[in-house]
Amino acid sequence: MLALSGTGIGRRVAIGKAMVLDRGHQEIPKYEVSKDQVQSEIERFQSALARTRAELRRIQQEIPDHAPQETNAFIDVHLLMLQDPVIAEQPVRAMEEHSYNAEWALKTQADTLVEFFRNIEDPYLRSKKDDVHQVVNRILEELMMENDPPAAALDGNLAGRVVIANDLTPADAITLHHRGITAFVTSLGGPISHTAILARSLGIPAVVGLHHAVQYIQNGDLLAVDGYTGTVLVGLDQTLLTEFQQRQTKQAQREQQLAALRSEPAITRDGYPVDLLANIELPEETDTLERFGANGVGLYRTEFLFMNRTEPPDEAEQYEAYRAVLDALTGPITIRTLDLGADKQVDGGRADGAAKINPALGLRAIRLCLSEPTLFRPQLRAILRASIHGRARIMIPMLSSLSELEQALEIVREVKHDLARDGIEFDSKVPVGGMIEVPAAAIAADLFANRLDFLSIGTNDLIQYTLAIDRIDDEVNYLYDPLHPSVLRLIHNVICAGREAGIPVSLCGEMAGDPDYTRLLLGLGLVEFSMEPTRLLEIKERVRTSEREKLMGQTQQILGCADPAQLRMMVDQLNRDGEQKNELFP
Ligand code: PEP
Ligand code: MG
């Protein structure tokens, strides 16, 4: 038996058989074949083409009825490309003329084609280079995996399997969830990446940042995945299997115990009510909210509607998605406008060969929306039109300057004006709030608070940007510290700014769903928490055993503490159940 260790996600354990999806990035091999091998190399290439075609047809048949129409068209385009002479014939010529191996022959021809598309002015046609990349990558995978077949190609049904991959994008995680996986393990990735967030939301235990997972784990290995500790046991014996099964039983018992809190109020022991809302990524998640006693959404990450497809959803499709959530729940529904960019790319970022420099600092979220009004306006129209079906709130992500906020608010005004002019109904009083997740905005939170109806602190990004730590880079995970004094001061500053301006302040980063920080945040004055729904009942339990007044005094001492080790100890002591009296808090 082998015990491997990474970072645990999801506070659950799972048992299942491994399904290794990829073996990480591989160099494209380049070599010359001897003259008498050229013909068999050509046949190898043609057979890979045929397998790619068969795989695309299989995927096409599996497309569910409710999938967007474009999904089919998207695969048709790829099937057509497989017949294009540049892909189907020119590599053969390169093999005949230069005796290249099939992979290299295909790559050289594809590079020429990509370059051709890259230089086209029309942005739509230019974007077709992405399709070329995708098709060519599929053929290359077929060629390069001939001696090491990828498990996914052998079996489309992943029910009960633990997927092992070098890395997974949020878009991949959605697909795998629909295919029924029980857990996943990746070599790369950190606990605050959007893939990890999605795993928690969907209740999938995972271990990320487990270096070389794809090398150590083989298809079919029986695995135990511990989302608490980040341990993966490979090749379980009967004793350990029984132990893990017992832990699963205990997990179920604990869930039942927490379920008793479902309709209890979230109120501190000394009588302060606290709002506990849910973060959702997909409209279908509303079905599970009731199970966790949530009737409102503090963060609806709408960018997930835009993933795994070639064309963005239009206004009508978005309207239906937002309306479904508003119809399903009676509480506030905080619809965040698009936060695409960084690790949230529509296709997982694979299509564009050229990697972006510092994508988290690039054209992301509101920056992208302001530069592409054709994305932003239909979304605002859809949210506003849906607003008559419930308590919608609009939330703008990643604000960093007031001028950006003013531009966004101006567009909201214009969209409202257009709707009113056309006699289309909407709630003219929809609150517009902003996410405070860039240090510049947290420091000047008062300026933003004066112009917005509510603020929501996005600690995932706030910590990333404050401490200069890429949230998806497993190598710097250890520096990702919610208890860093600078982070605590920024959070406190935003809560105070909201209070002064008389507007609500919520916190919707992962910190809100971690019971180790609940009391600290209550002490900092937070009364609205938004988190993955699966975290809600445990946080409610923590709220109900806390005394807010006392915590507020203790937290002032924590804010004044200069020694990180002592600060951590003080937070630990806040978290100890029962009496909150001890030597550190006289
Ligand atoms: C955050 O940054 O804390 C947040 C909630 O937004 P996201 O995780 O989607 O970036
Ligand atoms: Mg964010």
Side-chain angles (χ1 to χ4, degrees):
M1 200 217 42
L2 186 64
L4 303 170
S5 161
T7 304
I9 307 294
R11 293 181 185 242
R12 297 170 75 91
V13 296
I15 301 168
K17 283 204 170 160
M19 179 69 94
V20 182
L21 278 200
D22 64 31
R23 305 220 161 259
H25 176 76
Q26 291 180 7
E27 290 283 315
I28 296 173
K30 178 189 177 188
Y31 52 92
E32 279 180 21
V33 296
S34 61
K35 288 282 171 223
D36 57 342
Q37 281 178 335
V38 168
Q39 190 49 38
S40 68
E41 194 63 9
I42 292 173
E43 281 161 19
R44 191 166 82 84
F45 173 69
Q46 285 166 340
S47 140
L49 273 185
R51 288 198 305 277
T52 308
R53 193 171 303 115
E55 173 68 0
L56 283 172
R57 292 214 172 104
R58 188 184 66 76
I59 295 175
Q60 201 165 36
Q61 271 162 9
E62 277 184 6
I63 295 174
D65 294 343
H66 57 267
Q69 279 177 351
E70 297 87 359
T71 321
N72 233 319
F74 168 65
I75 294 183
D76 279 339
V77 170
H78 285 198
L79 281 165
L80 273 177
M81 280 188 172
L82 284 179
Q83 295 171 20
D84 191 283
V86 179
I87 287 179
E89 291 164 21
Q90 287 185 16
V92 173
R93 239 164 274 145
M95 282 182 256
E96 286 167 346
E97 281 169 23
H98 308 288
S99 305
Y100 285 158
N101 60 313
E103 291 89 342
W104 195 252
L106 174 62
K107 185 194 175 307
T108 50
Q109 299 311 308
D111 284 352
T112 319
L113 191 58
V114 166
E115 205 43 42
F116 169 77
F117 278 109
R118 203 191 290 282
N119 293 327
I120 292 180
E121 246 174 52
D122 180 289
Y124 174 75
L125 285 178
R126 198 168 55 235
S127 74
K128 288 289 142 206
K129 74 176 187 317
D130 300 344
D131 291 281
V132 178
H133 263 300
Q134 286 166 355
V135 170
V136 168
N137 283 345
R138 270 188 188 282
I139 309 168
L140 283 173
E141 262 172 38
E142 287 294 340
L143 284 166
M144 289 158 66
M145 303 258 185
E146 272 165 356
N147 299 324
D148 189 10
L154 300 177
D155 185 359
N157 178 14
L158 297 177
R161 305 301 288 257
V162 178
V163 161
I164 316 296
N166 193 43
D167 197 11
L168 293 173
T169 66
D172 294 332
I174 296 174
T175 309
L176 293 173
H177 170 61
H178 288 142
R179 292 173 77 182
I181 62 163
T182 197
F184 67 78
V185 177
T186 57
S187 302
L188 304 177
I192 313 293
S193 72
H194 285 95
T195 304
I197 289 174
L198 204 56
R200 273 189 285 263
S201 268
L202 301 171
I204 307 173
V207 172
V208 300
L210 197 161
H211 295 189
H212 310 299
V214 288
Q215 270 93 43
Y216 289 126
I217 302 172
Q218 305 295 319
N219 272 327
D221 281 345
L222 183 61
L223 305 179
V225 178
D226 189 335
Y228 289 92
T229 60
T231 308
V232 177
L233 301 181
V234 186
L236 291 179
D237 58 21
Q238 192 52 47
T239 319
L240 277 169
L241 183 61
T242 312
E243 193 186 301
F244 262 84
Q245 282 164 339
Q246 282 165 352
R247 282 186 62 188
Q248 282 185 313
T249 312
K250 279 206 190 121
Q251 185 176 292
Q253 284 164 350
R254 169 79 175 137
E255 279 165 14
Q256 255 186 340
Q257 184 192 6
L258 286 173
L261 289 178
R262 215 170 52 91
S263 34
E264 297 297 327
I267 185 161
T268 60
R269 227 192 242 154
D270 50 347
Y272 286 94
V274 174
D275 280 327
L276 300 183
L277 301 171
N279 292 353
I280 61 168
E281 284 77 37
L282 309 168
E284 67 239 37
E285 280 179 73
T286 50
D287 295 347
T288 59
L289 292 202
E290 209 204 331
R291 190 148 61 88
F292 300 105
N295 74 345
V297 171
L299 167 62
Y300 178 0
R301 291 184 165 100
T302 57
E303 52 279 5
F304 285 84
L305 288 172
F306 290 64
M307 289 181 189
N308 287 330
R309 52 194 297 162
T310 48
E311 297 295 327
D314 62 10
E315 179 186 323
E317 189 182 335
Q318 290 189 63
Y319 165 78
E320 290 303 335
Y322 307 146
R323 180 182 171 168
V325 179
L326 285 158
D327 277 341
L329 303 165
T330 53
I333 306 298
T334 315
I335 306 178
R336 180 172 74 180
T337 56
L338 260 185
D339 182 9
L340 276 175
D343 63 332
K344 286 179 287 189
Q345 305 286 338
V346 285
D347 67 341
R350 277 185 295 260
D352 195 350
K356 294 265 187 324
I357 304 160
N358 287 339
L361 304 179
L363 199 60
R364 177 188 164 186
I366 188 61
R367 301 169 180 185
L368 178 70
C369 285
L370 292 177
S371 78
E372 295 202 26
T374 50
L375 273 180
F376 197 34
R377 284 176 185 272
Q379 178 168 47
L380 290 173
R381 279 179 69 92
I383 300 174
L384 285 164
R385 283 175 51 209
S387 65
I388 54 169
H389 297 283
R391 293 175 54 196
R393 308 200 286 189
I394 296 174
M395 181 156 80
I396 304 167
M398 216 192 156
L399 289 164
S400 60
S401 73
L402 284 180
S403 71
E404 218 168 34
L405 172 58
E406 294 301 353
Q407 285 177 64
L409 292 177
E410 178 57 26
I411 297 178
V412 174
R413 279 192 290 272
E414 285 169 15
V415 170
K416 282 183 173 178
H417 175 268
D418 291 352
L419 290 172
R421 183 202 55 209
D422 299 340
I424 298 173
E425 250 192 303
F426 66 95
D427 174 3
S428 62
K429 299 221 161 37
V430 172
V432 179
M435 284 199 67
I436 304 297
E437 49 186 346
V438 175
I443 292 166
D446 54 331
L447 305 179
F448 289 85
N450 287 333
R451 288 164 172 81
L452 286 162
D453 300 318
F454 66 93
L455 302 179
S456 187
I457 309 173
T459 44
N460 304 340
D461 279 314
L462 186 61
I463 298 170
Q464 144 165 280
Y465 295 130
T466 304
L467 304 182
I469 293 157
D470 188 336
R471 61 194 266 194
I472 62 170
D473 184 347
D474 56 296
E475 294 199 322
V476 287
N477 261 345
Y478 73 103
L479 292 169
Y480 196 93
D481 182 12
L483 294 183
H484 192 293
S486 308
V487 172
L488 297 185
R489 286 174 195 203
L490 289 176
I491 294 175
H492 189 233
N493 194 45
V494 180
I495 295 171
C496 292
R499 192 183 305 131
E500 295 255 308
I503 61 167
V505 176
S506 168
L507 191 147
C508 61
E510 294 303 283
M511 256 182 112
D514 187 333
D516 287 347
Y517 303 124
T518 311
R519 288 186 173 160
L520 176 68
L521 293 171
L522 285 170
L524 287 171
L526 191 76
V527 288
E528 190 179 306
F529 295 60
S530 188
M531 67 204 80
E532 273 104 45
T534 53
R535 310 294 318 130
L536 238 132
L537 293 172
E538 207 173 329
I539 300 300
K540 191 189 274 187
E541 185 185 52
R542 194 43 76 98
V543 166
R544 288 168 59 86
T545 56
S546 300
E547 285 188 44
R548 186 170 181 256
E549 290 287 344
K550 200 179 279 178
L551 287 170
M552 292 189 95
Q554 292 169 325
T555 304
Q556 280 312 312
Q557 294 179 46
I558 290 178
L559 279 176
C561 177
D563 174 0
Q566 190 179 8
L567 191 153
R568 207 161 287 277
M569 265 164 35
M570 290 167 100
V571 174
D572 281 349
Q573 285 185 351
L574 283 190
N575 291 336
R576 298 224 175 95
D577 271 336
E579 273 300 291
Q580 293 171 27
K581 246 188 262 148
N582 53 59
E583 67 283 3
L584 283 171
F585 296 111

